[in-house]
Amino acid sequence: MSSPATRPEDLMGLTKGEYDTILDILGREPNLTELGIFSVMWSEHCSYKSSKLWLKTLPTEGPQVIQGPGENAGVIDIGDGLAAIFKIESHNHPSFIEPYQGAATGVGGILRDVFTMGARPVANMNALRFGSPDHPKTRHLVDGVVAGIGGYGNCIGVPTVGGEVNFDPAYNGNILVNAMTVGIASTDKIFYSAAAGVGLPVVYVGSKTGRDGIHGATMASAEFDDDSDEKRPTVQVGDPFTEKLLLEACLELMATDAIVAIQDMGAAGLTSSSVEMASKGNVGITLSLDDVPQREENMTPYELMLSESQERMLMVLKPGREDEARAIFEKWELDLSVIGETNDSQRLVLMWKGEIDADIPIPPLVEAAPEYDRPWTATPPRAVREPSEVAEPTDISEALLTLIGSSDLCSRRWVWEQYDHMVMGDTVGRPGGDAAMVRVHGTKKALAISTDCTPRYVEGNPVEGGKQAVAEAWRNVPSVGAKPLAVTNNLNFGNPERDEIMAQLVGAVQGMGAACEALDAPVVSGNVSLYNETNGQAILPTPVIGCVGLIDDAASAVGNGFTAEGQTIIIVGQTAGWLGCSIYQRDLAGGSNGAPPPVDLVTERRNGDFVRTAILDGLVSACHDVSDGGLAVALAEMAIAGGIGAEIDATPDIPTHAWAFGEDQARYVVTCSDPDDFLHRAAAAGVPAEATGTTGGPALTLPGAKPISVANLRETHARWFPEYMASR
Amino acid sequence: MKARVHITLKNGVLDPQGKAIHHSLEGLGFDGVDDVRQGKFIEIELSGNDPDAARASVSEMCEKLLANTVIENYAVEIDD
Amino acid sequence: MKARVHITLKNGVLDPQGKAIHHSLEGLGFDGVDDVRQGKFIEIELSGNDPDAARASVSEMCEKLLANTVIENYAVEIDD
Amino acid sequence: MSAAVIVFPGSNCDRDIAVALEAALGTAPLMVWHGDSALPGVDLIAVPGGFSYGDYLRSGAMAANSPIMREVVSHAGRGVPVLGICNGFQVLTECGLLPGVLMRNASLKFVCRDVDLRVERGNTAFTGGYKVGDVIRIPVAHHDGNYFTDPDTLKSIEDNDQVAFRYCEPDGTVSDAANPNGSLANIAGVLNGNGNVLGMMPHPERLIDPLLGGTGGTPMFTALAEAVAA
Ligand SMILES: Nc1ncnc2c1ncn2[C@@H]1O[C@H](COP(=O)(O)OP(=O)(O)O)[C@@H](O)[C@H]1O
Ligand SMILES: [Mg+2]
């Protein structure tokens, strides 16, 4: 056991203080393998050291919650003995380095998080943020990321049913690739990661281990100075074919009762999977590293423990069930190797060529992981901008065309046509609607799924922006008629060691927490990605929310396209004309952006519940929530989706541009054939609702504006993405 | 003039295709295969007639488009 | 022993990948490219040490699996 | 009467086709693992979509060499209807049951969307529920659907009336704009000489439920059920 020197550059990202804690825990200097293990376990990624304090404040419970944060994915009850299991995860940095493989392995990783718990994945979502369209790398990154997400999901045969794509110069040096998977399991067949019990075999399955993605810190360490190319940490390459086999083999084995615990090997590979299983089960684990299937020659214990090779799982089986498991994995043409055993030592002991290579007590490795209360100072509030302070367009219709033809609001068809969104035969409708809907196989029920975040709001006011991210993701679910049940979240921020970034994180979490509480949508899983900055330029604060809801009969859902002529168009919710921080203000008016729209959570809940009930009662023929771009954009999207125009006869008592493009929250546009009943019930429920026009004709006519043909709207909406991607 | 370009995965980079082909060859009963790696072979017809210029230009094509230099190596030959 | 296999599309067979690469190269401003064809390059590590046997075996692999001889040609080299 | 669905490592539309067959036949098809070597008493075989062997090397190539495919070929020779959808079509061309090959889409991108198909041949076990000239709307989802053959083969399949479907405009016009992948002569589906083997890139099994977007695929399964019951 040679000891590395303790120069700061040799600490693999640990601070001197953290290193001293390790000395206390071990009572000696760690060797290279041990230091590597501490370094990854105590990395921001695995230990959540900057965010943990705040994550604890999020509401995570409710009668619908079977498993909140802390396992591979969150689990909620969807009735009839079934559970939905879901989580979102980032693969930001790898996707910037190698967009195709980075995005692909991001999808692979989140799929494993879900099926490791016993669920068959039924839907993928993705939330993407790229730099300015004008930035020289953007097109290449979009192309690679979209192809990578499709490449993995299409091959494994899980439909990619929705997501979001945005562009902003703040992501020029740090794109965001957040992938979400939703799966379905029986409530009595959910698998956890606690390896309770001693003398149990620890079993490795899946692909062999190579030097993929080993901590870059390796490079700085003295022992590897004379390295050639061979030991360079390499980019992880995804193998969706192997993952498909792993998925089927795991589900087949899970149908037996041979498994005690199972955990995928994700970040920090064998290290975090073995430590977490042992720690949760209060046991020790001895691993024989010689038995780990290896893809490359001369791998060291350090490399084996830190490799992030994909498509691997670690399981603890009941004793004597190894052969049964092996038969299943062999049928699926996969490796299975018994690499260790649990014991009562509460230590992680690694054997290598007949000797002990590492020996670490597990409780302090897990519990002494640092947790920081990083300083922050609240983000200064921005001035509220009155509609009159935001320049009016010369022509409302032209402004609308500019907006729906812009990079952030145009059709995402170019993206989702590269994803198989129908495989598994349960995708209700096509992408492009509000929440995506996936039927629960063999039943009438469907899950409704959406992802959302409006980073410019979070930047303007982290607390309101955090609330808004939850509110918007949530709002998409009642828009189709489903009841939101729970959320997952991906907190993407810059460097938390800077006060103003930490303030964004704290504020966003506070806002999210309040919203989840008020909307009865507890957080059941999530992921944190910090240090998204380049040369001191941080990304916009981007807490992405994924919301999952349920509808009892998918046939009672509605879409967001106008369905017939002569329907009454009703706006649900209050339109005050909030233009501060709006897309209109940003793209067409300029000037300082002002405060983002406030979120009234009580109103949000009341309006959403009302709309959902009205849909289920059959009063609504189409529904669309109002978000970026305001009412005008929402109406245009409904016209495009339905291929039917509309005459809007509202007489707003606010400036027309504020009425058309203001981004007030908690609003929906619905169409009804019997408006009186709807309006009557709305009044009774105290929900603001106003008939504002009628569907029909070949054009959309906004108040005081010239008609725009639906054909023109559709053309303009469709054009930007394919043209941008085809140009260079 | 013709350029022949070989694009291969760097050492240590996982090659799922090679792995699957290897497996399939075994299934077909071919013994004695230790490893399979799959790369690309690109032939480019060029209209110029200066081999050095051609080599320089094709190398630039590799850097810019043909190879993903994060995970792939390339080799250019000019047949003149 | 190592076998190097080149798999190329037969003359007259459409090559969507080659065509797309050609187009992109032009878009990137590379002049003087007359044609681009994309093929495969497969390297096989073999444990035997008889080059003739290896050549025969790899040719059979090509016939059975590696090439679709309706549209592709293959060429086998053995590095010994 | 029984149907079989062949399952390869990496197949992923096997359940979808099984659902469609069960709805039409009233009984669940037999799911047959690629490593099996027998197809006892089967009178309809489906080779499903997906990414057998990851689509590595060439789509369908490794699956075409699976043990079960010898049985499929021999059943096809005896006149048993064999339907290959998407990856199944690729497998059937790779194992020589159908002419031509499926190359990378001309766009080089995976494409998943609804397309219109013109029915070119009506009197087969697969297409008996349609009339020649009918236009059906049906989804495609593939990366390698660009149908290609040499000119002689093309002439012979056209002369023998082996084209089952072509990509077309909603009004039935066959145009480049309606071609999602660059296929020769807009060919979306091809029959063998005897008309008992059909390969097609579009997915009829995805369109058997109005909730999922339509029922344009249902007549194919109904026709198959009638054909095998007869
Ligand atoms: N990355 C993506 N992957 C798949 N679908 C996407 C993606 N981005 C956007 N979409 C789909 O496009 C539609 C519009 O997206 P968006 O404008 O973000 O919706 P909303 O305004 O309701 O949040 C949604 O149906 C969404 O699921
Ligand atoms: Mg929406």
Side-chain angles (χ1 to χ4, degrees), chain D residues 115-121 127 130-138 158 163-175 185-189:
Chain D
V115 298
D116 291 299
L117 293 187
R118 193 174 74 192
V119 178
E120 302 285 282
R121 173 131 172 227
T127 56
Y130 305 112
K131 293 191 305 296
V132 171
D134 277 359
V135 174
I136 56 177
R137 198 167 173 74
I138 205 165
E158 295 279 15
V163 177
F165 303 104
R166 279 183 228 271
Y167 302 110
C168 69
E169 311 273 348
D171 67 0
T173 315
V174 171
S175 69
N186 281 37
I187 291 173

Side-chain angles (χ1 to χ4, degrees), chain A residues 524-567:
Chain A
V524 295
S525 56
N527 177 254
V528 180
S529 170
L530 302 179
Y531 299 96
N532 290 291
E533 52 180 82
T534 299
N535 303 327
Q537 257 315 108
I539 58 163
L540 292 178
T542 313
V544 174
I545 303 296
C547 184
V548 174
L550 183 69
I551 183 164
D552 286 334
D553 182 355
S556 55
V558 297
N560 67 2
F562 292 147
T563 55
E565 311 238 331
Q567 302 268 302

Side-chain angles (χ1 to χ4, degrees), chain A residues 269-551:
Chain A
L270 197 46
T271 295
S272 71
S273 53
S274 56
V275 169
E276 276 171 34
M277 286 173 100
S279 154
K280 287 193 179 133
N282 272 315
V283 297
I285 281 191
T286 299
L287 294 181
S288 160
L289 294 181
D290 306 272
D291 297 328
V292 173
Q294 295 164 38
R295 193 176 84 228
E296 297 182 62
E297 285 177 10
N298 303 320
M299 291 194 66
T300 64
Y302 175 90
E303 291 170 330
L304 290 169
M305 290 307 289
L306 269 66
S307 164
E308 295 190 358
S309 287
Q310 302 289 299
E311 291 92 24
R312 303 179 300 160
M313 292 270 191
L314 199 62
M315 306 186 297
V316 171
L317 297 182
K318 290 185 182 161
R321 305 297 288 274
E322 297 91 323
D323 289 342
E324 189 181 343
R326 183 171 285 113
I328 290 173
F329 279 81
E330 273 172 6
K331 172 188 156 196
W332 290 100
E333 308 182 359
L334 291 169
D335 281 334
L336 177 147
S337 179
V338 177
I339 63 166
E341 204 179 61
T342 61
N343 53 48
D344 61 6
S345 70
Q346 299 214 351
R347 303 181 79 84
L348 176 69
V349 175
L350 304 179
M351 302 300 297
W352 179 242
K353 297 191 194 305
E355 286 180 26
I356 294 179
D357 185 78
D359 182 353
I360 302 175
I362 292 170
L365 171 61
V366 174
E367 285 145 27
E371 184 175 318
Y372 297 121
D373 183 359
R374 297 206 186 273
W376 57 282
T377 35
T379 306
R382 286 186 188 167
V384 172
R385 298 194 77 199
E386 296 302 326
S388 58
E389 298 172 69
V390 178
E392 287 185 35
T394 37
D395 181 321
I396 292 273
S397 294
E398 286 307 320
L400 172 57
L401 285 168
T402 304
L403 289 180
I404 62 160
S406 70
S407 58
D408 273 351
L409 293 179
C410 69
S411 167
R412 270 59 182 132
R413 180 177 288 274
W414 184 91
V415 175
W416 53 256
E417 279 191 352
Q418 293 184 59
Y419 302 151
D420 189 339
H421 45 266
M422 294 181 247
V423 63
M424 298 185 84
D426 284 310
T427 305
V428 180
R430 299 285 183 268
D434 289 338
M437 267 193 292
V438 177
R439 196 169 54 184
V440 178
H441 193 66
T443 75
K444 285 156 65 179
K445 297 181 176 191
L447 298 177
I449 313 163
S450 69
T451 61
D452 266 303
C453 178
T454 312
R456 63 179 189 281
Y457 295 170
V458 190
E459 183 193 35
N461 181 332
V463 177
E464 290 303 304
K467 283 186 204 163
Q468 197 277 342
V470 175
E472 188 178 342
W474 184 91
R475 203 182 300 145
N476 280 287
V477 174
S479 292
V480 299
K483 181 174 168 45
L485 292 176
V487 304
T488 182
N489 73 96
N490 205 137
L491 302 175
N492 305 275
F493 292 86
N495 180 351
E497 294 164 45
R498 287 169 46 196
D499 278 19
E500 66 275 24
I501 301 290
M502 196 59 207
Q504 294 175 338
L505 174 72
V506 171
V509 171
Q510 288 170 336
M512 283 164 49
C516 290
E517 192 80 58
L519 300 174
D520 188 19
V523 176
V524 295
S525 56
N527 177 254
V528 180
S529 170
L530 302 179
Y531 299 96
N532 290 291
E533 52 180 82
T534 299
N535 303 327
Q537 257 315 108
I539 58 163
L540 292 178
T542 313
V544 174
I545 303 296
C547 184
V548 174
L550 183 69
I551 183 164

Side-chain angles (χ1 to χ4, degrees), chain A residues 97-98 207 230 235 237-239 242 295-296 333, chain B residues 10-14 16 19-20 23 68 70-71:
Chain A
I97 307 281
E98 209 311 275
S207 292
E230 285 313 278
V235 171
V237 169
D239 181 359
T242 297
R295 193 176 84 228
E296 297 182 62
E333 308 182 359
Chain B
K10 289 185 177 171
N11 265 332
V13 173
L14 174 74
K19 194 170 104 182
H23 195 83
N68 176 350
V70 179
I71 53 175

Side-chain angles (χ1 to χ4, degrees), chain A residues 98 140 143 728, chain B residues 5 7 40 42 44 57-70 72 74, chain C residues 17-30 33 36 38, chain D residues 108:
Chain A
E98 209 311 275
H140 163 73
D143 198 56
R728 58 182 72 253
Chain B
V5 181
I7 296 172
K40 287 182 197 139
I42 300 177
I44 307 177
S57 154
V58 174
S59 300
E60 204 188 326
M61 294 176 195
C62 289
E63 290 284 339
K64 284 207 177 149
L65 180 72
L66 304 180
N68 176 350
T69 53
V70 179
E72 292 170 333
Y74 62 88
Chain C
Q17 271 136 316
K19 211 168 105 185
I21 295 173
H22 191 171
H23 188 80
S24 302
L25 288 174
E26 284 174 350
L28 287 171
F30 288 102
V33 177
V36 180
Q38 175 168 334
Chain D
L108 303 191

Side-chain angles (χ1 to χ4, degrees), chain C residues 29-62:
Chain C
F30 288 102
D31 300 328
V33 177
D34 291 336
D35 193 27
V36 180
R37 302 284 280 175
Q38 175 168 334
K40 290 181 191 129
F41 175 57
I42 300 178
E43 293 167 290
I44 306 178
E45 277 302 335
L46 296 158
S47 51
N49 48 21
D50 173 351
D52 292 335
R55 184 183 310 280
S57 155
V58 174
S59 299
E60 204 190 326
M61 294 178 197
C62 289

